[in-house]
Amino acid sequence: MNLKIIPERLLVDGNRFKPYGQIVHKCIIEGDGKYASIAAASVLAKTYRDDFMKQLHTDFPHTVGTRKQRLWH
């Protein structure tokens, strides 16, 4: 594991998760509606994904994204 700080446990949104090292985890269905930390992580992940997809579209405008995503630019 390459984490500098090892968490005590992982809260996972959903019902599927492949164990990560020896860290205890708990899968929570609809976790983003129950835990602020999961909701915040979800927002960060979606924002990162959107920015990443926009950059891919800039770099490869004819090959990446759906028609709707191509209309963003």
Side-chain angles (χ1 to χ4, degrees):
M1 225 179 302
N2 294 327
L3 299 174
K4 290 181 182 181
I5 299 173
I6 306 298
E8 292 179 21
R9 70 182 44 89
L10 302 174
L11 297 178
V12 181
D13 187 18
N15 62 357
R16 295 183 197 161
F17 182 72
K18 181 180 176 183
Y20 188 80
Q22 299 297 316
I23 302 172
V24 175
H25 69 277
K26 182 175 181 179
C27 293
I28 303 162
I29 297 172
E30 298 181 6
D32 56 346
K34 298 174 182 174
Y35 291 90
S37 58
I38 294 176
S42 179
V43 170
L44 290 174
K46 289 173 184 170
T47 301
Y48 177 84
R49 180 204 57 213
D50 289 349
D51 292 345
F52 180 72
M53 292 302 291
K54 287 177 185 177
Q55 186 60 50
L56 282 177
H57 174 69
T58 299
D59 296 341
F60 308 100
H62 300 294
T63 59
V64 177
T66 64
R67 181 178 182 280
K68 180 180 178 183
Q69 290 168 327
R70 286 193 294 270
L71 293 175
W72 287 349
H73 299 279

